[in-house]
Amino acid sequence: MTVGFTVFDTAIGFCGLAWRGDVVLGTSLPEGSAARTRAWLLRRFPDAVEGPPPPVVGEAVAGIVALLGGERRDLASVPLEMAGVPEFHRRAYEVARAIPPGKTLTYGDIAHRLGQPGSAQAVGQAMGHNPFPIIVPCHRVLAAGGKDGGFSAHGGVGTKRRMLVIEGALADEPTLF
């Protein structure tokens, strides 16, 4: 079955999504431009063909656009391809998917919910390898004390903070400019 992908505009820039059938294989946060996001997806899915998504995947795209536009959208029902995802990561992603827009948990909170209270660092590593950003909302997972923690997407922690502001989890902070 052919792997398809699409690049679409959102309030934070051009995101991307790849699928096979009605299942999402991966997503991309903005890479700085539509062309860079497209290139990133093609590096990850070299045999993918760009085109319009099937209806189920189109609903996921619409949900991502709406969420990043400030609407409270639950993406927990979007079907994800978890083959090849380590079991611990899969379990951590399940907990992260249950965090509603506008809320956050810490890496330690997720470790406790997994019944492994000493595994906060492993949770952080799982979030850093998340193949489904936005759908698996790793941006809603913070370091101890509510600190940002890391964020491996283009724009780093600034992108994470922007997403949290859009969702209402952080106050919009004034800048000097």
Side-chain angles (χ1 to χ4, degrees):
M1 190 177 286
T2 302
V3 173
F5 79 93
T6 188
V7 173
F8 51 95
D9 199 9
T10 73
I12 66 167
F14 287 95
C15 292
L17 184 147
W19 70 87
R20 183 182 302 116
D22 287 338
V23 178
V24 173
L25 301 176
T27 57
S28 171
L29 288 164
E31 291 293 317
S33 70
R36 286 191 202 141
T37 299
R38 185 175 289 107
W40 187 92
L41 283 164
L42 284 170
R43 278 192 304 278
R44 188 160 165 214
F45 304 101
D47 297 327
V49 176
E50 188 169 11
V56 170
V57 176
E59 289 174 24
V61 169
I64 291 168
V65 170
L67 181 69
L68 295 175
E71 293 181 29
R72 296 232 185 256
R73 287 292 180 101
D74 181 2
L75 303 175
S77 66
V78 174
L80 303 175
E81 175 56 66
M82 290 286 187
V85 174
E87 180 63 28
F88 181 84
H89 291 203
R90 193 177 307 176
R91 291 177 48 230
Y93 298 159
E94 288 172 11
V95 174
R97 286 186 91 180
I99 305 169
K103 302 294 182 189
T104 61
L105 290 177
T106 66
Y107 301 115
D109 292 334
I110 291 179
H112 280 288
R113 290 182 185 197
L114 293 174
Q116 298 181 336
S119 65
Q121 186 175 19
V123 170
Q125 290 174 355
M127 295 303 143
H129 290 95
N130 176 10
F132 314 102
I134 306 169
I135 296 173
V136 173
C138 54
H139 64 281
R140 296 180 191 149
V141 185
L142 304 175
K147 293 186 171 90
D148 295 326
F151 202 62
S152 58
H154 183 80
V157 172
T159 298
K160 180 176 189 169
R161 293 187 65 77
R162 186 168 177 206
M163 293 168 70
L164 291 171
V165 167
I166 288 169
E167 292 184 2
L170 291 178
D172 195 1
E173 298 172 354
T175 65
L176 297 175
F177 304 101

